[in-house]
């Protein structure tokens, strides 16, 4: 144990010396070069499991090709607090254009959702109440999967494991003109979601359902409004590659209602923060979305933004008081430039 520790210390020191040009050791020295190369490799799975803040607790097997997207449901008091993970992989045919649902308590696949897509599913999102799962991807089709109301037959609650959890309730063909890169449900309204695509448009959708006593609700998806990011290269809208709703609302500019905060990441690496008016508080004189903040280019990525995520609220803060003119939020982003950015934002209404 001591010998390995000493060799590691020497190798790190050797790297620092060589980086700053303070070593007189010839680069042809094979032993030293091997030692340096070993320390510059990415950590292996065992080291990550031991030293990571989130060590691995299990593996999920089932996909034939590399994973294209992942999401998880919100913890709830039902299903013994079981959390579902939804995943999809790159699809070379219709058979593999499916979505797998996993129970993280048992590390098992509880359902495979098929019939929704014909090519790779690129993005997934659960609603805050776990009633809906949205999916989209290369076929530009927006699918809404609805959870069955019969919880007694759910595999998660110890019922018949042949009973499905979710069914395809609604779909919008050609939801965008180009591939849909990201969808996200609004945590303030589980029936409101947004989608962003390569065509440069952000579309806001509303799920409208008609309740039935003995059967699942009839679901319809309606577009509420659409807009484009303010950043453009010439007249062409920049591709939207990532979107994420914040967990807190803000007051509308006229003080008549609340607005959701939506972060938008683009292919060029830019990030913008928008206020999205909730449909229930909209009037004929109000616009659907307005720009709140454009993050300076020097603080953004130099390549495609791949993912955006807001820091969750520790307490339930779904309401805003009349005197709350600003909201503090933390946003994280990652991009193709291999960088991660964390922003502390003070959103002013």
């Amino acid at each position: 144990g001591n010998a390995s520790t000493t060799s590691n210390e020497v190798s790190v020191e050797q790297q620092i010396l060589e980086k700053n040009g303070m070593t007189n050791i010839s680069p042809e020295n094979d032993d030293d070069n091997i030692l340096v190369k070993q320390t510059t490799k990415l950590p292996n799975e065992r080291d990550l499991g031991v030293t990571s803040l989130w060590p691995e607790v299990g593996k999920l097997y089932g996909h034939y090709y590399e994973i294209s997207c992942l999401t998880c449901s919100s913890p709830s008091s039902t299903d013994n607090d079981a959390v579902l993970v939804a995943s999809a992989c790159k699809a070379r045919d219709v058979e593999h254009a499916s979505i797998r649902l996993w129970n993280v308590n048992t590390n098992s696949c509880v359902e495979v959702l098929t019939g929704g897509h014909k090519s790779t599913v690129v993005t997934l999102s659960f609603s805050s109440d776990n009633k809906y799962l949205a999916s989209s991807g290369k076929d530009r089709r927006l699918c809404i999967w609805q959870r069955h109301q019969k919880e007694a037959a759910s595999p998660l609650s110890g019922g018949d494991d042949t009973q499905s959890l979710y069914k395809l309730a609604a779909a919008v063909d050609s939801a965008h003109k180009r591939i849909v890169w990201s969808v996200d449900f609004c945590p303030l309204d589980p029936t409101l979601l947004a989608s962003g695509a390569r065509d440069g448009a952000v579309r806001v959708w509303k799920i409208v359902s008609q309740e039935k006593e003995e059967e699942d609700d009839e679901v319809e998806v309606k577009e509420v409004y659409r807009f484009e990011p303010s950043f453009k290269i010439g007249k062409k809208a920049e591709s939207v590659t990532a979107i994420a709703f914040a967990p807190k609302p803000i007051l509308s500019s006229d003080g008549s209602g609340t607005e959701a905060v939506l972060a938008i990441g683009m292919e060029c690496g830019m990030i913008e923060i928008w206020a999205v008016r909730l449909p229930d508080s909209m009037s004929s004189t109000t616009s659907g979305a307005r720009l709140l903040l454009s993050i300076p280019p020097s603080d953004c990525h130099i390549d495609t933004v791949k993912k955006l995520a807001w820091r969750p609220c520790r307490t339930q803060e779904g309401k805003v008081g009349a005197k709350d003119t600003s909201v503090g939020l933390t946003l994280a982003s990652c991009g193709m430039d291999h960088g991660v950015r964390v922003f502390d934002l003070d959103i002013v209404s």
Side-chain angles (χ1 to χ4, degrees):
N2 294 333
S4 61
T5 302
T6 303
S7 63
N8 287 338
E9 291 176 353
V10 171
S11 63
V12 172
E13 182 181 1
Q14 183 66 30
Q15 290 182 77
I16 296 174
L17 291 173
E18 291 190 358
K19 182 178 179 181
N20 292 278
M22 296 185 295
T23 177
N24 57 358
I25 300 178
S26 172
E28 283 74 23
N29 190 316
D30 293 336
D31 294 337
D32 290 331
N33 284 338
I34 292 174
L35 195 59
V36 172
K37 288 179 181 179
Q38 288 177 347
T39 59
T40 56
K41 289 183 179 180
L42 292 174
N44 57 37
E45 185 177 352
R46 178 181 177 278
D47 292 337
L48 285 176
V50 173
T51 62
S52 173
L53 290 174
W54 297 278
E56 180 184 294
V57 295
K59 282 185 171 65
L60 305 176
Y61 295 98
H63 290 292
Y64 288 90
Y65 303 104
E66 59 187 284
I67 303 296
S68 58
C69 57
L70 282 170
T71 191
C72 67
S73 63
S74 302
S76 63
S77 58
T78 60
D79 298 331
N80 297 321
D81 292 328
V83 174
L84 284 177
V85 169
S87 63
C89 69
K90 288 189 175 182
R92 298 181 180 179
D93 49 41
V94 178
E95 179 185 357
H96 295 105
S98 59
I99 302 167
R100 287 182 175 266
L101 299 179
W102 310 83
N103 183 342
V104 297
N105 290 345
T106 60
N107 290 338
S108 61
C109 180
V110 295
E111 187 173 4
V112 180
L113 304 179
T114 59
H117 298 278
K118 296 182 179 180
S119 57
T120 302
V121 177
V122 177
T123 176
L124 295 164
S125 177
F126 279 102
S127 60
S128 57
D129 60 359
N130 299 330
K131 185 176 180 178
Y132 301 109
L133 170 65
S135 63
S136 194
K138 286 188 175 182
D139 59 5
R140 300 177 293 126
R141 194 179 197 218
L142 175 63
C143 293
I144 302 298
W145 308 83
Q146 181 185 16
R147 185 157 188 163
H148 288 289
Q149 294 180 351
K150 297 180 180 180
E151 294 294 340
S154 166
L156 298 181
S157 57
D160 182 7
D161 59 5
T162 62
Q163 174 67 36
S164 63
L165 285 172
Y166 286 82
K167 70 169 186 177
L168 182 61
V172 180
D173 293 326
S174 300
H176 285 264
K177 296 179 181 179
R178 302 289 299 277
I179 180 174
V180 181
W181 286 121
S182 184
V183 295
D184 192 43
F185 272 98
C186 178
L188 311 177
D189 183 353
T191 63
L192 190 72
L193 70 151
S195 61
R198 179 172 285 174
D199 60 8
V202 176
R203 298 190 178 189
V204 180
W205 310 85
K206 178 74 173 179
I207 299 176
V208 181
S209 62
Q210 296 180 356
E211 295 184 0
K212 291 187 175 182
E213 294 183 0
E214 298 182 357
E215 299 179 1
D216 295 324
D217 301 344
E218 289 186 359
V219 173
E220 183 181 2
V221 183
K222 295 183 178 181
E223 182 180 338
V224 182
Y225 50 84
R226 71 181 71 177
F227 62 96
E228 294 180 352
S230 63
F231 182 84
K232 290 180 173 61
I233 300 178
K235 295 182 179 180
K236 182 181 178 181
E238 187 66 21
S239 299
V240 176
T241 54
I243 58 174
F245 276 106
K248 295 180 184 179
I250 61 171
L251 282 175
S252 59
S253 56
D254 57 6
S256 61
T258 57
E259 295 174 317
V261 178
L262 181 68
I264 299 174
M266 289 166 269
E267 191 174 24
C268 62
M270 294 292 292
I271 300 173
E272 294 181 353
I273 311 298
W274 285 72
V276 176
R277 196 69 181 251
L278 301 179
D280 296 338
S281 62
M282 286 184 64
S283 64
S284 58
T285 59
T286 58
S287 59
R290 61 188 177 95
L291 180 64
L292 292 174
L293 173 67
S294 292
I295 295 180
S298 59
D299 294 332
C300 292
H301 296 270
I302 59 174
D303 206 342
T304 304
V305 178
K306 294 296 292 182
K307 187 72 175 178
L308 294 168
W310 295 92
R311 182 179 182 180
C313 296
R314 294 185 178 181
T315 58
Q316 187 175 1
E317 301 182 41
K319 296 182 179 180
V320 178
K323 296 182 180 180
D324 295 334
T325 58
S326 65
V327 175
L329 295 165
T330 301
L331 174 68
S333 67
C334 66
M336 289 291 290
D337 57 1
H338 306 289
V340 175
R341 307 283 191 272
V342 179
F343 305 95
D344 280 329
L345 303 175
D346 189 16
I347 307 296
V348 180
S349 302

